[in-house]
Amino acid sequence: MAARHDGGTRGWLGRAMIGLVRGYQLVLSPLLGPRCRYWPSCSHYAMEAIRVHGPGRGGWLALRRILRCHPGCAGGIDPVPGGPSEALCRDDPELDEHFRCRARPGRTD
């Protein structure tokens, strides 16, 4: 099934979930400071996932992402499947198909 990105949130539940995430971004996140080990941040990932996949699957994707984001995790680039962040990563010539930085010629790190 193709992902749907219509800018909507598929009903009141999606809007409520987006509202909770937005409240976190405005109230708690500034107090905690940057903590997410991924791009996009977990809160942005959650909002995008809910917008693209609806509250059910989008909420599940967001929960899985939040559970992966902890001090023992390496983090990195983890776009929403089928979302605008994935399209942005696919268009980036410096990233491979797994969204890792490509090795540059002549570089030995």
Side-chain angles (χ1 to χ4, degrees):
M1 181 170 123
R4 180 179 130 185
H5 182 67
D6 59 5
T9 54
R10 299 186 189 178
W12 67 269
L13 182 58
R15 286 191 300 274
M17 291 168 75
I18 294 284
L20 288 171
V21 173
R22 192 68 186 128
Y24 164 81
Q25 287 178 331
L26 294 172
V27 178
L28 290 177
S29 185
L31 299 174
L32 298 173
R35 302 222 181 262
C36 192
R37 299 177 181 289
Y38 288 103
W39 180 90
S41 70
C42 291
S43 60
H44 283 94
Y45 182 99
M47 290 193 340
E48 184 179 336
I50 294 165
R51 286 184 178 128
V52 171
H53 297 289
R57 180 157 192 259
W60 173 245
L61 289 169
L63 177 64
R64 285 181 45 212
R65 164 62 107 70
I66 291 166
L67 293 174
R68 284 192 319 261
C69 191
H70 56 78
C73 170
I77 298 172
D78 180 31
V80 174
S85 60
E86 182 181 52
L88 185 65
C89 289
R90 292 208 184 281
D91 291 342
D92 190 331
E94 293 189 15
L95 299 177
D96 67 13
E97 63 276 2
H98 301 290
F99 309 119
R100 292 183 293 240
C101 291
R102 294 182 191 275
R104 293 185 189 159
R107 200 167 151 190
T108 59
D109 359 290

